[in-house]
Each structure stands twice: as structure tokens, then as C-alpha cells.
């Protein structure tokens, strides 16, 4: 990870869970991390923790609603002005609404598409353009995908969510191919975790916290730090090695 010291990483959805764990791991390795989320109070608290712990990198909180393209473009403009540009883009932000295919609300579907697919694509495009205009040829784009982007579980509440994650699987390979066509050495990686103990299930089952808690109590789940370790692994691979996709599940997870 030494070659990333002082380089700039963008982590979306950095306030909690996997995003916060990734952010802290990169700061620990000396990177300058722009952590964005709709609310930044938790990122500001994390930044203070990183500073008090004496970590060698820095965390810059940034407020951004990823469902709004103008806010994303404004964020990239600010990063360019203050920090030259983005060298590593980690598309972590994602959400699920329990909206089945046969009875779900269109607004819920649209929100999932806006954040899980469109925001990821916009951030990727802008990060690549930032790298290109600065002649950065060793950048990295990492998409936090899901096992739901590789198989469909028999649960109506997550079928549309799964469709957005299948899109991420296709987008990551498409990005890899376009980077090859552009003759760059910028890498593209997806990380696809199974069940991770975060706030995710509590947001999905907002009206049934007992169901959310039971989801995590049923098996020994992955932890956010496990996904952060996978990100570090992908970043630390030698420059000629591209980690395409990491599929990771709890040992006890069935599907």
C-alpha cells in the first residue's frame, strides 16, 4: 500500500458500516480520503477519531446527495480545486427498499436505480476523467457489489435490489473493457459480500426491527472490516494484477 500514501481516494456512503470501515482503513494506510454521504456528522466524528488515533492519512468529510447528479459534479469540482483530483474511486453507497416486482412502489425502485446504478456510473465517469486529465495511469475503481449481483434469493423484498446489483456486475466488467480499450493501466474491481452485520437490514426492514435483528443473529456474519480488508487487498496487488471480483460470504451462509 506504500504507493498509495498521500494519494486521493473518494469513498461514497462513508458515514456508517462498510463505507466507514473502508475509509478508516485507507486513512490508516496514509491516503487522503474524501468521505461523502448525505449527512456528514458521523464522518466528521470518524475524522476526529482518525486524527486522535494518529493515523497517517487524512479524512475530508463532504456532504453529497448521490441521487442528485449536480451535487456529484459539484463534489468532483471541489475535489479538483482542493486536492487536484481522484486517484481511487470506491463506489460503496447502496441501498435497498422492500419493493417487490409485482407490487412495489415505483419511487422505491427509482431510488435504488439512482443510487446503486446511476450514482456509481456518474462517479466512475468523473473519476476516470479526473485521472485522464492528470495523466494518472495507475488509478483504481472499486465497486462494492453484493452476492445479490450473482444469484437471486427467493425473497420478494430484495428482487429489485438484486437487479441493481446484477447491473453493477455488468458495469464493472464494462468498465474494465473500456479501460483496456483506452489503453490505460487503471484497474476495476468489484467486491461482492454476502451477509454483513451493518445497519443495512435495519434500513431494509425499517418497520420490523426484530426481523432485521434476527437476520444477523441467525449466523456469524461478515463484519464491515472484512470488506475493508478486501479493498486493501485489491489496492495492494502489484500494478500488473487486476482483481476482477471478490465473492465473499460468511462460512455459515447457505445461499
Amino acid at each position: 500500500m506504500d504507493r498509495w500514501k498521500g494519494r486521493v481516494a473518494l469513498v461514497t456512503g462513508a458515514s456508517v458500516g462498510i463505507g466507514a470501515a473502508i475509509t478508516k482503513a485507507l486513512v490508516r494506510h496514509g491516503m487522503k480520503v474524501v468521505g461523502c454521504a448525505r449527512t456528514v456528522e458521523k464522518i466528521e466524528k470518524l475524522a476526529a477519531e482518525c486524527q486522535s488515533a494518529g493515523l497517517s492519512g487524512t479524512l475530508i468529510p463532504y456532504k453529497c446527495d448521490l441521487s442528485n447528479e449536480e451535487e456529484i459534479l459539484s463534489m468532483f469540482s471541489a475535489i479538483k480545486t482542493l486536492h487536484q483530483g481522484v486517484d481511487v474511486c470506491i463506489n460503496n453507497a447502496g441501498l435497498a427498499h422492500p419493493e417487490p416486482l409485482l407490487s412495489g412502489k415505483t419511487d422505491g425502485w427509482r431510488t435504488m436505480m439512482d443510487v446503486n446504478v446511476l450514482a456509481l456510473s456518474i462517479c466512475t465517469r468523473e473519476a476516470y476523467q479526473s485521472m485522464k486529465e492528470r495523466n494518472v495511469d495507475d488509478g483504481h475503481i472499486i465497486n462494492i457489489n453484493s452476492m445479490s449481483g450473482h444469484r437471486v434469493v427467493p425473497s420478494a423484498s430484495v428482487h429489485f435490489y438484486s437487479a441493481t446489483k446484477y447491473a453493477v456486475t455488468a458495469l464493472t466488467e464494462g468498465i474494465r473493457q473500456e479501460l483496456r480499450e483506452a489503453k490505460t493501466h487503471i484497474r476495476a474491481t468489484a467486491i461482492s459480500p454476502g451477509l454483513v452485520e451493518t445497519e443495512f437490514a435495519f434500513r431494509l426492514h425499517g418497520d420490523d426491527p426484530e426481523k432485521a435483528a434476527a437476520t444477523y443473529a441467525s449466523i456469524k456474519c461478515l463484519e464491515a472490516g472484512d470488506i475493508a480488508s478486501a479493498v486493501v487487498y485489491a489496492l495492494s496487488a502489484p500494478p500488473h494484477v487486476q482483481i476482477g471480483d471478490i465473492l465473499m460470504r460468511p462460512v455459515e451462509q447457505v445461499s
Side-chain angles (χ1 to χ4, degrees), residues 19 21 31 77 113 139 207 214:
M31 295 194 74
S77 178
M113 288 296 294
D207 58 345

Side-chain angles (χ1 to χ4, degrees), residues 177-198:
Q177 291 183 18
E178 291 190 26
L179 290 170
R180 298 292 71 74
E181 289 170 11
K183 295 184 168 32
T184 85
H185 294 87
I186 298 167
R187 300 183 293 184
T189 299
I191 297 173
S192 301
L195 202 56
V196 187
E197 188 165 1
T198 64

